[in-house]
């Protein structure tokens, strides 16, 4: 078994960076490991215009350490009032890489989200025509639907119709959490792909709820039964290009999570690659990590894979319990049993070696 892992530098296809002091704190963690990241637009107020996205991208770039080549890829927050012309303008001028749809009230900062998919017909038509990916928070918000069923009902009631109505629209079902989502992806055309987080690969709802409630393991979509975690592991390590890396790293200050009404979101950016490597290692599928982490995402988005390489080593490492963020504190997710891999750093690809490898 290899103790050293070298793969093309990965990208994070689903990330929350926040703003202000939190932004300044969290950006360096992602910039250390990932070349690019799809940055979620759920700020308050949400990033709905090209001007707002430009300004947010500038603030992110200011937080990127000088020795990092990290590039933020911006997204447009869709509302009932989204204008197809503004969306096309942001995409063709390369400000936006994609648009994000939150069903209204589905998750953190989604109050301005979409109340009815029909309101976006013209937007979807335009995105389909220009090839702009639609990123979905795939959960219904009907209060009558149990929180553990919201992804499945979204697939049955909303997603199937969307794909039928817009057969050429590129869609990413974000942070999938269920065996049913995996099966749906496997049975559907290449128009749709899905991201999978490290935490959904590592924890089930028992980890969150047995022996006491653990607010730092609470996120949306909520973690499900063990059989779903296993299905997600099989999907991620299958070698299918429909599944790729998206951390959904979503920092919230400790006091807002350890609260009578705690926020949803898991902050995994500090150890994201270590966690994915551990999962692929446990599944004896380290040879599949590069596809999932570094190749299938760029292929779906029509971007080149990264030239640099990331190096990891097997070995336990210490995770800090807390990280300061301005006047706040953050608690990073480091897996249920501690870290089994260590991120060593980035190296330039050797001239005569374009095929990265897993080796010792
Ligand atoms: C995210 C956040 O905090 O912005 N929370 C989460 O639990 N994943 C929003 C989201 O992606 O649902
Ligand atoms: Zn998210």
């Amino acid at each position: 078994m290899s103790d050293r892992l070298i793969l093309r530098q990965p990208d994070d296809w689903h990330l929350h960076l926040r703003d202000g002091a939190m932004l300044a704190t969290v950006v360096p963690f992602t910039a250390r490991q990932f070349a690019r990241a799809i940055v979620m637009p759920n700020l308050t107020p949400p990033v709905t215009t090209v001007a707002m996205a430009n300004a947010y991208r500038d603030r992110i770039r200011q937080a990127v350490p000088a020795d990092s080549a990290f590039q933020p890829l911006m997204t447009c927050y869709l509302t009932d009032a989204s204008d197809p012309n503004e969306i096309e303008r942001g995409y063709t001028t390369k400000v936006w890489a994609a648009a994000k749809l939150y069903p209204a009230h589905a998750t953190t900062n989604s109050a301005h989200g979409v109340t009815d998919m029909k309101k976006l017909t013209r937007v979807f038509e335009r995105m389909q025509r220009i090839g702009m990916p639609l990123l979905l928070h795939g959960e219904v918000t009907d209060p009558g639907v149990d929180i553990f069923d919201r992804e499945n009902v979204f697939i049955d009631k909303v997603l199937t119709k969307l794909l039928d109505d817009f057969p050429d629209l590129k869609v990413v079902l974000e942070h999938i959490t269920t065996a049913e989502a995996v099966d749906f992806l496997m049975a559907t055309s290449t128009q749709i792909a899905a991201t999978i987080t490290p935490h959904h690969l590592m924890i089930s709802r028992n980890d969150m709820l047995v022996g006491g409630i653990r607010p730092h393991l609470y996120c949306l979509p909520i973690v499900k039964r063990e059989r779903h975690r296993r299905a997600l592991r099989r999907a991620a390590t299958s070698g299918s290009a429909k599944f790729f890396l998206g951390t959904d790293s979503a920092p919230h200050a400790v006091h807002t999570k350890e609260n009578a009404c705690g926020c949803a979101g898991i902050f995994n950016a500090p150890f994201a690659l270590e966690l994915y490597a551990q999962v692929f290692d446990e599944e004896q599928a380290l040879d599949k990590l590069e596809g999932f982490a570094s190749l299938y995402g760029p292929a779906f988005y029509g971007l080149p894979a990264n030239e640099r390489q990331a190096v990891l080593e097997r070995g336990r490492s210490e995770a800090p319990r807390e990280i300061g963020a301005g006047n706040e504190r953050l608690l990073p997710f480091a897996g249920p049993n501690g870290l089994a891999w260590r991120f060593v750093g980035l190296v330039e690809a050797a001239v005569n070696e374009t095929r990265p490898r897993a080796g010792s």
Side-chain angles (χ1 to χ4, degrees):
M1 244 204 270
S2 56
D3 291 329
R4 195 172 166 84
L5 189 58
I6 303 173
L7 69 163
R8 271 185 200 259
Q9 189 182 7
D11 305 295
D12 184 351
W13 300 100
H14 182 125
L15 175 68
H16 299 268
L17 289 175
R18 314 303 191 203
D19 217 337
M22 189 80 93
L23 171 75
T25 302
V26 302
V27 165
F29 291 110
T30 292
R32 182 172 156 255
Q33 300 196 327
F34 295 99
R36 297 166 289 202
I38 285 277
V39 180
M40 289 296 125
N42 61 333
L43 305 181
T44 32
V47 182
T48 51
T49 66
V50 180
M52 291 168 97
N54 256 321
Y56 186 33
R57 186 168 61 180
D58 286 347
R59 297 196 296 282
I60 296 168
R61 284 177 175 160
Q62 277 165 25
V64 174
D67 61 352
S68 166
F70 174 73
Q71 286 177 39
L73 305 175
M74 310 308 289
T75 55
C76 167
Y77 183 112
L78 295 176
T79 71
D80 287 352
S82 288
D83 170 9
N85 293 331
E86 178 76 353
I87 289 169
E88 176 165 3
R89 190 166 73 84
Y91 186 67
T92 52
T93 56
K94 298 197 185 306
V95 178
W96 281 325
K100 176 68 191 260
L101 187 146
Y102 292 98
H105 306 292
T107 186
T108 308
N109 296 344
S110 61
H112 300 275
V114 173
T115 61
D116 182 355
M117 298 290 271
K118 287 201 234 24
K119 301 213 159 128
L120 288 184
T121 300
R122 286 173 53 245
V123 167
F124 296 153
E125 277 167 3
R126 187 70 65 89
M127 291 175 64
Q128 174 170 255
R129 180 148 65 70
I130 63 179
M132 182 176 186
L134 173 68
L135 315 183
L136 294 175
H137 183 106
E139 289 193 291
V140 293
T141 55
D142 177 346
V145 177
D146 188 273
I147 189 167
F148 288 96
D149 299 333
R150 290 181 170 198
E151 184 173 284
N152 289 348
V153 175
F154 183 89
I155 291 170
D156 290 347
K157 297 267 163 68
V158 184
L159 183 57
T160 309
K161 180 163 171 22
L162 178 78
L163 299 181
D164 281 350
D165 290 350
F166 303 96
D168 295 321
L169 183 63
K170 285 166 84 170
V171 175
V172 183
L173 189 56
E174 301 282 13
H175 41 51
I176 58 167
T177 62
T178 59
E180 288 79 358
V182 170
D183 292 345
F184 181 83
L185 263 286
M186 287 297 204
T188 313
S189 77
T190 50
Q191 107 181 79
I192 181 162
T195 54
I196 307 182
T197 76
H199 42 280
H200 288 102
L201 293 167
M202 290 190 130
I203 56 173
S204 69
R205 64 193 199 180
N206 275 17
D207 295 295
M208 179 178 58
L209 295 171
V210 172
I213 187 162
R214 291 180 183 73
H216 295 282
L217 302 185
Y218 173 61
C219 66
L220 289 170
I222 198 159
V223 288
K224 309 290 191 308
R225 290 173 182 274
E226 175 65 8
R227 78 175 176 88
H228 297 292
R229 186 181 76 97
R230 289 178 189 271
L232 295 171
R233 284 185 163 230
R234 279 195 297 276
T237 59
S238 66
S240 163
K242 289 184 172 190
F243 303 100
F244 48 82
L245 187 158
T247 64
D248 196 16
S249 180
H252 289 275
V254 167
H255 71 93
T256 67
K257 293 204 55 81
E258 297 173 6
N259 192 291
C261 183
C263 293
I266 292 179
F267 175 49
N268 59 33
F271 311 109
L273 272 189
E274 293 89 325
L275 297 172
Y276 282 115
Q278 180 172 341
V279 167
F280 278 68
D281 191 12
E282 286 164 1
E283 296 296 317
Q284 289 165 20
L286 281 175
D287 60 323
K288 300 287 195 321
L289 179 61
E290 183 177 57
F292 175 82
S294 318
L295 301 178
Y296 306 150
F300 186 86
Y301 278 83
L303 296 168
N306 298 308
E307 287 301 326
R308 285 209 179 96
Q309 296 182 325
V311 182
L312 290 109
E313 272 173 8
R314 191 191 299 279
R316 302 206 75 78
S317 57
E318 280 298 307
R321 253 196 62 72
E322 285 188 347
I323 292 168
N327 297 326
E328 309 282 9
R329 292 172 301 135
L330 296 172
L331 192 66
F333 177 74
N337 307 309
L339 299 167
W341 283 80
R342 201 170 66 81
F343 175 71
V344 179
L346 302 173
V347 292
E348 301 298 330
V351 180
N352 60 354
E353 185 209 13
T354 46
R355 282 291 314 132
R357 68 211 141 73
S360 46

